Amino acid sequence: MNTWVDIKVYPNKLDPSVMEMCKCELGLTLHDWLTTNVPDYFESDEPLFTVIVNSKILVPENWKTYQFSQNDDVSIIVEPKDPATIAYAVIAIIAVGYAVYTASQIPDNYNSTTPDGSSIYNVNAQGNKPKLMGIIPEGAGRHLIYPDYLTMPRREYIDNEQWLYLMLCVGVGDYEILPEEIFIADTPVSRYTGDVDYQIFRPSENVTSHEAYRNVFTSSEVGSTSGSTGIELKGAVTSSGGNNSTYFYTFINDTLVVYVAEYEPEIGPIRYKTVPPFDVGEILTITGSIEGQNDGYYELLAKSSNGSQVNKVDSQFQDDPTWTEFVTEYDSSAAVDAEERGGDGQFNGPFFACPDGELTDKLWLDFYLPKGLGELDDDGNFLSRSVTVRIEYRAEGAQNWTALPDQVFSNSTNDQLGKTIPFTLPLLMRPEIRVKRVTAASDDTRIYDDVFWTALKAELQSATSYDGLTTIAVKIRGTNALAGSAENKFKVIGTRILPVYENGVWSSPRPTRDIAPFFAHVIRSSGHSDSKIGLQALQTLHPVWHNRNDEFNAVFDSESTMFEVLKRVLAVGFAEPTIDYGQVTPVRDQKRTIYRHMYQPDNYVGMLKRSMKLIDDDEPDGVEVEYFDPVTWKSETILCLLPGDLGLNPEKVRAFGITSRDKAYQFGMRKRRIRRYRRTRFDFKTEMDALNSRYLDFCALADDIPGYEQSGTVVGYEGRSIYVDHIGLEWQNGQSHILALRKPDGTLSGPYNATQGNANNEVIIDADLDFTPVLDGSIEPPLYMFGIKERWCNGVLIRDIKPSSTEQVSVTAELDDDRVYLDDDSLAPAA
């Protein structure tokens, strides 16, 4: 059995298709329901709506006595105030939420950069990255920053340890970065004693005091930037052959003689002359020749059998048909002709050390010995061993090679070894580099001498300072603890350093998280002078924000307009940017008690239009705010609800610039309360009067609905007695009354407490006027508004002012409600 009755509300009598369904508990009277659920309800001799119960009008005299029963059919119909215009309902059901304007909403998406950068707002994209042709990030307040590469990372071996060099851009401007707020991944660098060396450079400071400043190009042809791959430098091999045989080589004069040794069970070892499956042009490794004097690398020119040479045809080698089988070693007609290519290893390269169009005179070559260097003797002792490497270079287009001094690696260890060899060339060039191993190699398992060429690096033109940027140079030892995260997970927490406008002057720059300094900085950095900033308003609001701990902590790393950035900056302080007489001025949406201007039917052009948004089934029933947690530096959410909200369909907003849970809650509750309580909008026109008002001015607005205020013109005054043109003002017993006057400049005088005078158009105010009325007809006489204290005007916020011609101004205003501000200082509920 239902415990309520449905009430159908029709806001427009001429359009019965528009209806709002409400519920009322059984046994309540209409007066009880209206008092509980309709904030603006008041008793009036001329009700604004008609109540129909079971097809019969319920007269106002019975609203307090008739109790609703289960089967009642109840309708409330708003009546027209004239034949052509519909008066919209004053009924605003308390459970309904609606926001008239969304201009100051924070966009649902955080910054995005093209090309992709190290946006801290995307967990998957966090990290240090190059941003060629991208936006240089700019921080505000205190925030986590993943600095971007200014030069590509490079590695270098120092005393057999690999070190990583990073030159990074923190962002535009100056920052305070504390030692304990510099991290690799999630570990402070202070934990890596001796493993991390860094230096912070302020804007325009010379950076050459740290070796990481160099802009070094690493060739991709030699090894990757991580140094984990490279080119093996191969030397002469001491033995070779198939699975079941071994080749032996010797020379007869200039002819290479090749033997293959096989084992026949009945006969024993037999040696045959043969031509192994070599190709013409192939490089042969020859060892074990007569007394070893012909060891080395050879290029195969031709091969023959029985004295008949076999040449290359269509990239295939066809054996001479006279070749039938292996012959004994005494048959000297089987031979391979070869030409010596040197007695050491083959050159690797050449490779260009720098890109086309670039020049360099400084090179680095990295070499890596993965098994160490040494030799085990028969007793297990590790003996010293040496390997010689030769490096040659030539300028692009040159024919002759120039050899650098041979590099000799010597050691007796099976620990991994690495070495970076720097060279300075005699002049700038685009060099080609080739490298070979001079020392013969061995496949003896007791010898450890593998050598890899892992990197070829060249210094390009390097910047010595960075105007307007804070940079950080880093040198990191490649220990196991750092190997996986050092290159792209270096991060800092920086606090922006800016001057603050206080007491009419700019202070010295200091670390600050305040809203006002960054607001001014955005305008100044866009090329505008102080004359374009509403400094007086900024100076007034700065202590308000500062004392409330309202901060703006964010990183901008995407393109935007100055005005869009200012919207974001001010939103965290419940404010918006406006253009006022050529100045960009902040205006804060805050509780106000002083009316700035007065508007009433005497200075309207046409009629006042009042509209209200009624309930919508799809409206959100709460606000879910996403903000950045200052400990984890990850996104967190908090749900903001009013009594009666279930939070099943919350509006989702992102509080860009907020890094406090309490502030995120206040931000969300302000939005939720605006949706709930700011539901009424007024549209009207004046002549030029409305140009006096500014955005978000708090003004007194008269309505022409019966039962509200009365308005008109002042016709005379004497001391505190004010005489108006309305004979027979409506004085209500037991109520306090208010009189407000309009000054010649449009501002409001008062409001004054008013009592009834002796004359029927006389009002006595409780204080002297703060201006002198002019009643001689030379200017428009003062206008007035009169009514009871709770209902003498509509307190509205001016939302839009647009001149529609040279003689008229269109105005949009929003009915304010003190309940909007009730959670501005509330603490977030426990998580």
Side-chain angles (χ1 to χ4, degrees):
M1 180 176 177
N2 292 336
T3 59
W4 63 82
V5 63
D6 291 331
I7 297 179
K8 292 170 286 200
V9 179
Y10 296 90
N12 187 345
K13 187 174 184 177
L14 302 182
D15 187 1
S17 65
V18 179
M19 183 269 290
E20 174 186 351
M21 184 68 74
C22 305
K23 296 183 181 298
C24 175
E25 294 182 14
L26 297 178
L28 288 181
T29 66
L30 178 64
H31 178 79
D32 293 335
W33 181 81
L34 290 170
T35 303
T36 302
N37 293 281
V38 183
D40 289 341
Y41 169 69
F42 65 94
E43 295 182 62
S44 174
D45 295 335
E46 300 181 35
L48 303 178
F49 44 88
T50 298
V51 181
I52 299 176
V53 180
N54 301 325
S55 302
K56 295 182 180 180
I57 294 177
L58 184 66
V59 296
E61 289 79 7
N62 295 333
W63 288 4
K64 291 185 177 181
T65 57
Y66 182 83
Q67 295 179 323
F68 292 119
S69 59
Q70 184 176 1
N71 297 322
D72 280 346
D73 181 12
V74 184
S75 298
I76 297 178
I77 304 172
V78 177
E79 295 294 340
K81 67 178 183 179
D82 60 55
T85 309
I86 298 299
Y88 288 97
V90 184
I91 302 172
I93 305 305
I94 199 167
V96 179
Y98 175 70
V100 178
Y101 291 94
T102 58
S104 62
Q105 294 277 340
I106 300 300
D108 284 345
N109 295 321
Y110 278 130
N111 295 338
S112 60
T113 302
T114 302
D116 291 338
S118 55
S119 175
I120 52 89
Y121 299 112
N122 182 347
V123 174
N124 295 324
Q126 288 181 350
N128 313 113
K129 296 181 180 179
K131 294 180 68 176
L132 183 64
M133 305 304 293
I135 304 299
I136 301 176
E138 181 158 3
R142 179 180 182 271
H143 211 283
L144 178 74
I145 300 171
Y146 282 90
D148 296 314
Y149 294 143
L150 287 168
T151 62
M152 288 306 296
R154 67 179 175 94
R155 284 175 162 79
E156 182 176 322
Y157 292 110
I158 302 176
D159 297 330
N160 287 321
E161 293 179 326
Q162 191 179 67
W163 289 79
L164 172 67
Y165 291 93
L166 302 173
M167 189 67 194
L168 302 166
C169 172
V170 175
V172 174
D174 200 1
Y175 299 80
E176 178 188 58
I177 302 173
L178 303 178
E180 62 271 20
E181 293 186 331
I182 302 175
F183 304 86
I184 294 177
D186 294 323
T187 304
V189 296
S190 57
R191 303 283 182 88
Y192 299 112
T193 304
D195 291 334
V196 180
D197 168 59
Y198 69 87
Q199 189 173 351
I200 298 172
F201 297 95
R202 302 187 68 182
S204 304
E205 187 176 354
N206 189 288
V207 299
T208 58
S209 58
H210 196 286
E211 186 66 16
Y213 90 95
R214 297 183 186 276
N215 179 23
V216 176
F217 172 80
T218 302
S219 170
S220 60
E221 296 173 296
V222 176
S224 68
T225 55
S226 66
S228 60
T229 60
I231 299 172
E232 183 178 3
L233 302 182
K234 297 181 179 181
V237 182
T238 56
S239 65
S240 61
N243 293 330
N244 300 315
S245 61
T246 302
Y247 294 123
F248 295 90
Y249 310 90
T250 188
F251 283 86
I252 299 177
N253 298 322
D254 292 332
T255 301
L256 173 69
V257 179
V258 183
Y259 298 94
V260 62
E262 293 186 344
Y263 181 80
E264 294 288 341
E266 297 179 357
I267 303 175
I270 300 178
R271 295 175 65 187
Y272 296 94
K273 287 184 180 180
T274 186
V275 178
F278 300 142
D279 293 332
V280 172
E282 183 173 349
I283 305 302
L284 307 179
T285 301
I286 308 301
T287 60
S289 58
I290 300 173
E291 298 181 358
Q293 62 184 341
N294 299 109
D295 288 359
Y297 279 83
Y298 296 84
E299 179 180 356
L300 186 64
L301 300 179
K303 59 183 180 179
S304 62
S305 61
N306 294 327
S308 179
Q309 182 170 300
V310 180
N311 295 316
K312 184 176 182 181
V313 179
D314 296 331
S315 300
Q316 301 293 327
F317 291 102
Q318 300 178 1
D319 292 338
D320 190 302
T322 60
W323 180 273
T324 57
E325 59 182 347
F326 290 129
V327 296
T328 65
E329 63 178 301
Y330 306 105
D331 184 350
S332 61
S333 64
V336 175
D337 295 327
E339 181 179 84
E340 184 178 358
R341 288 286 302 275
D344 46 29
Q346 177 185 359
F347 272 111
N348 295 273
F351 305 114
F352 283 109
C354 59
D356 188 15
E358 298 286 349
L359 302 177
T360 187
D361 63 354
K362 187 167 182 61
L363 303 174
W364 293 265
L365 284 80
D366 290 353
F367 296 94
Y368 178 55
L369 290 77
K371 297 180 181 179
L373 184 59
E375 180 178 356
L376 286 172
D377 64 12
D378 293 338
D379 297 326
N381 299 315
F382 218 83
L383 307 178
S384 179
R385 186 170 177 84
S386 297
V387 175
T388 300
V389 172
R390 182 165 300 155
I391 304 169
E392 296 183 356
Y393 74 90
R394 68 182 179 188
E396 181 179 18
Q399 297 297 318
N400 299 324
W401 291 92
T402 300
L404 296 169
D406 283 353
Q407 299 298 312
V408 180
F409 301 91
S410 297
N411 216 311
S412 57
T413 180
N414 59 356
D415 293 335
Q416 293 179 349
L417 300 174
K419 186 175 183 179
T420 297
I421 300 173
F423 290 105
T424 300
L425 302 177
L427 51 93
L428 286 171
M429 65 178 70
R430 186 189 183 205
E432 290 183 277
I433 307 297
R434 66 181 187 180
V435 177
K436 72 176 179 180
R437 172 177 173 146
V438 175
T439 304
S442 172
D443 60 3
D444 190 331
T445 57
R446 296 184 302 175
I447 294 177
Y448 302 82
D449 64 354
D450 292 345
V451 181
F452 288 80
W453 181 20
T454 60
L456 170 61
K457 294 167 286 187
E459 182 178 6
L460 307 182
Q461 185 175 356
S462 303
T464 59
S465 65
Y466 294 90
D467 293 342
L469 305 180
T470 294
T471 58
I472 182 167
V474 190
K475 179 183 177 183
I476 304 172
R477 190 199 311 267
T479 65
N480 290 335
L482 295 174
S485 58
E487 183 168 335
N488 63 0
K489 292 297 182 183
F490 189 90
K491 60 188 181 182
V492 303
I493 297 175
T495 302
R496 189 64 186 270
I497 298 176
L498 292 170
V500 182
Y501 191 76
E502 297 172 310
N503 302 318
V505 295
W506 291 101
S507 70
S508 298
R510 64 174 185 254
T512 178
R513 308 180 196 180
D514 288 319
I515 296 171
F518 194 75
F519 173 86
H521 164 74
V522 171
I523 302 173
R524 299 174 93 190
S525 64
S526 299
H528 298 291
S529 65
D530 288 356
S531 64
K532 299 300 182 181
I533 307 174
L535 292 176
Q536 183 175 354
L538 196 67
Q539 184 170 266
T540 300
L541 289 175
H542 173 57
V544 175
W545 289 322
H546 183 80
N547 294 335
R548 283 178 39 82
N549 293 319
D550 288 342
E551 301 174 352
F552 184 74
N553 302 305
V555 175
F556 291 93
D557 62 359
S558 63
E559 284 187 337
S560 187
T561 65
M562 182 189 78
F563 212 71
E564 288 300 317
V565 170
L566 294 179
K567 281 184 179 181
R568 287 186 162 195
V569 174
L570 294 180
V572 301
F574 306 137
E576 298 176 58
T578 64
I579 305 296
D580 188 28
Y581 291 100
Q583 291 186 329
V584 184
T585 303
V587 180
R588 188 171 187 268
D589 184 358
Q590 57 193 358
K591 184 176 180 179
R592 311 190 190 189
T593 57
I594 299 175
Y595 298 96
R596 183 166 177 80
H597 298 101
M598 186 177 84
Y599 296 100
Q600 48 108 307
D602 291 272
N603 60 343
Y604 295 158
V605 175
M607 304 299 297
L608 174 71
K609 295 181 181 179
R610 176 176 181 149
S611 57
M612 179 182 297
K613 179 67 168 65
L614 299 179
I615 194 168
D616 185 340
D617 292 338
D618 295 330
E619 285 182 2
D621 60 345
V623 174
E624 184 180 71
V625 179
E626 183 178 347
Y627 67 100
F628 233 53
D629 184 89
V631 177
T632 64
W633 295 107
K634 299 290 189 294
S635 294
E636 301 287 348
T637 59
I638 185 170
L639 194 59
C640 304
L641 303 175
L642 286 173
D645 287 342
L646 298 179
L648 301 178
N649 179 34
E651 176 191 5
K652 298 181 185 295
V653 298
R654 283 173 170 166
F656 184 76
I658 291 181
T659 56
S660 161
R661 190 168 186 271
D662 287 337
K663 291 299 174 183
Y665 181 72
Q666 294 167 13
F667 183 84
M669 288 305 298
R670 170 66 82 90
K671 288 187 174 293
R672 182 69 188 107
R673 287 182 171 276
I674 287 174
R675 281 196 176 274
R676 171 72 66 85
Y677 300 118
R678 284 188 183 163
R679 308 182 48 77
T680 304
R681 164 177 165 166
F682 298 93
D683 291 279
F684 61 95
K685 292 183 179 181
T686 72
E687 292 181 348
M688 307 306 288
D689 306 41
L691 293 179
N692 291 320
S693 294
R694 299 176 182 177
Y695 186 69
L696 285 187
D697 271 357
F698 186 53
C699 296
L701 187 69
D703 203 332
D704 53 2
I705 295 179
Y708 275 74
E709 66 286 326
Q710 296 171 265
S711 61
T713 304
V714 173
V715 297
Y717 77 100
E718 184 177 346
R720 296 186 178 181
S721 291
I722 309 298
Y723 298 91
V724 300
D725 63 350
H726 196 103
I727 299 176
L729 292 174
E730 296 180 6
W731 298 86
Q732 299 185 29
N733 294 331
Q735 296 287 344
S736 299
H737 293 77
I738 294 293
L739 181 72
L741 305 180
R742 180 176 179 268
K743 299 179 185 179
D745 62 0
T747 56
L748 185 142
S749 176
Y752 302 98
N753 292 316
T755 55
Q756 191 169 8
N758 294 325
N760 58 9
N761 68 336
E762 180 185 5
V763 180
I764 301 174
I765 58 178
D766 64 342
D768 294 336
L769 289 175
D770 57 358
F771 76 105
T772 301
V774 177
L775 303 171
D776 60 5
S778 59
I779 60 174
E780 186 179 18
L783 305 178
Y784 75 89
M785 289 199 298
F786 171 82
I788 64 173
K789 192 169 187 178
E790 291 77 14
R791 227 169 33 248
W792 69 273
C793 77
N794 295 295
V796 299
L797 299 175
I798 301 298
R799 282 293 185 179
D800 193 21
I801 300 173
K802 291 181 180 178
S804 55
S805 69
T806 57
E807 297 179 352
Q808 288 189 7
V809 178
S810 298
V811 183
T812 298
E814 188 176 63
L815 185 64
D816 198 16
D817 191 312
D818 287 346
R819 290 171 293 183
V820 167
Y821 312 102
L822 293 183
D823 281 308
D824 285 0
D825 298 305
S826 297
L827 299 180

